[in-house]
Amino acid sequence: MSTVANIYNLLQYRPDILVNSDDLIHIVNAAIRAVSKRLYVLDSDLIVGPMEVDVFAEQSYTASMAVVDSNPDTITDAATQFIVEKFAVGMPITTTQASNPGPFRIATVAVGTLTLAATDSVVAATAGSFTVTSDDAYGFLPSDFWGLRAKFEPYLDGKTAPLIPLPSQAVALQYTGAGEPIYYKIVGTRIYVTPHTAADYTIKGDYYQKPTEVTAATSAIPFNELFDDLIADYVEIYFRGPLSKTGNTVQILDKLIKDGVDLVASKYDRKGPTHFPQAVNWGF
């Protein structure tokens, strides 16, 4: 697998401008994003990955607990019952603690400590009685989620029928209790299920993956080296172009991406050889 350093090795810099590799990181990222977005439009397998999202049956626990503002923040239980009460990594939770209603996401679980996601924020609260409840309505999508792949509906692991897009709010209102999910709905960074789940499930499916940002010369370039030359050309044209990235430079970059990506994506995992002989014809 190639790295950013391999891209730099393909470049020739302007002789009149001094530049080191770190100065071009943002351009390499721009090139990777441009390639990824074109692959997204083409519904290419090159940016598709397997999705696994956990949804959990409701768990509720009342005890004397404290909220600790410790970055990552935690909820602590002196009775050490969190694992017994079936709290799990990835669960969305709410609380009845006055200053910390949530929602939060559990990052790790220990017998006496729920560690919350790094993006969660709490107000410190000394020990007092309140309730922690997991939410059975949704699960969190992968952080690199760019959308579900067309014609590949998500499904519950172990089941043989896919989940169906929720047709309307009227349909959702028909389900007043928890059960086996039938419908799904994507909202922001969450996938909601209807009815709410009465058991723990993993939702699987194919999804488009947002490219990981490169941050150093040692960072890996995605796409299994298929577009290294294209990314290098993009970086060089961007760098050598005029200060104002308008007009011809933008058009050249746009055409470069379309031509370079379409050529590979149209062949990759789509077509095999045609008219290929199955055996040697010895009957001359």
Side-chain angles (χ1 to χ4, degrees):
M1 180 175 289
S2 61
T3 66
V4 174
N6 297 123
I7 299 298
Y8 293 153
N9 290 338
L10 299 174
L11 297 175
Q12 294 181 355
Y13 301 138
R14 273 183 175 171
D16 57 324
I17 297 179
L18 295 177
V19 58
N20 64 46
S21 59
D22 291 338
D23 295 328
L24 300 182
I25 281 284
H26 68 288
I27 308 177
V28 175
N29 276 312
I32 291 171
R33 287 194 299 271
V35 170
S36 296
K37 289 176 180 178
R38 186 61 188 171
L39 291 169
Y40 185 103
V41 170
L42 296 173
D43 185 27
S44 172
D45 296 333
L46 284 163
I47 58 165
V48 170
M51 178 182 75
E52 293 191 359
V53 175
D54 293 323
V55 290
F56 300 93
E58 181 180 300
Q59 307 295 336
S60 190
Y61 175 56
T62 302
S64 178
M65 295 174 281
V67 180
V68 183
D69 183 4
S70 52
N71 299 318
D73 303 325
T74 61
I75 298 173
T76 59
D77 171 31
T80 63
Q81 293 295 297
F82 285 136
I83 291 179
V84 172
E85 295 295 329
K86 299 182 179 179
F87 287 95
V89 172
M91 270 186 176
I93 58 171
T94 57
T95 86
T96 59
Q97 207 286 323
S99 301
N100 298 284
F104 304 116
R105 182 179 185 180
I106 299 176
T108 62
V109 180
V111 291
T113 305
L114 299 179
T115 301
L116 306 181
T119 53
D120 289 337
S121 179
V122 301
V123 176
T126 56
S129 180
F130 62 89
T131 302
V132 176
T133 304
S134 66
D135 197 323
D136 57 3
Y138 67 91
F140 292 99
L141 294 165
S143 59
D144 61 350
F145 184 82
W146 249 9
L148 290 172
R149 190 177 187 188
K151 301 180 181 179
F152 287 81
E153 298 293 357
Y155 62 94
L156 300 178
D157 190 24
K159 304 297 180 179
T160 57
L163 294 171
I164 304 168
L166 182 67
S168 68
Q169 188 62 31
V171 171
L173 292 173
Q174 295 176 24
Y175 295 90
T176 57
E180 182 177 303
I182 300 171
Y183 304 99
Y184 76 92
K185 182 180 180 180
I186 301 290
V187 180
T189 59
R190 304 173 182 178
I191 180 168
Y192 287 81
V193 292
T194 302
H196 294 183
T197 184
D200 295 350
Y201 288 107
T202 298
I203 300 174
K204 293 189 172 183
D206 287 350
Y207 76 108
Y208 298 112
Q209 295 176 304
K210 179 174 64 177
T212 301
E213 185 174 273
V214 296
T215 57
T218 54
S219 297
I221 298 292
F223 317 123
N224 199 28
E225 302 184 17
L226 289 171
F227 300 111
D228 283 10
D229 292 345
L230 173 60
I231 292 171
D233 288 345
Y234 185 103
V235 173
E236 185 165 8
I237 292 171
Y238 188 105
F239 181 70
R240 289 179 180 274
L243 292 177
S244 122
K245 297 296 180 283
T246 58
N248 289 336
T249 300
V250 172
Q251 294 171 13
I252 291 170
L253 290 174
D254 184 59
K255 187 175 188 306
L256 177 74
I257 291 296
K258 287 182 179 178
D259 290 349
V261 172
D262 291 16
L263 178 65
V264 174
S266 64
K267 303 293 184 183
Y268 181 83
D269 201 27
R270 299 294 181 92
K271 299 178 180 178
T274 58
H275 307 300
F276 193 84
Q278 300 303 308
V280 176
N281 181 8
W282 295 107
F284 300 103

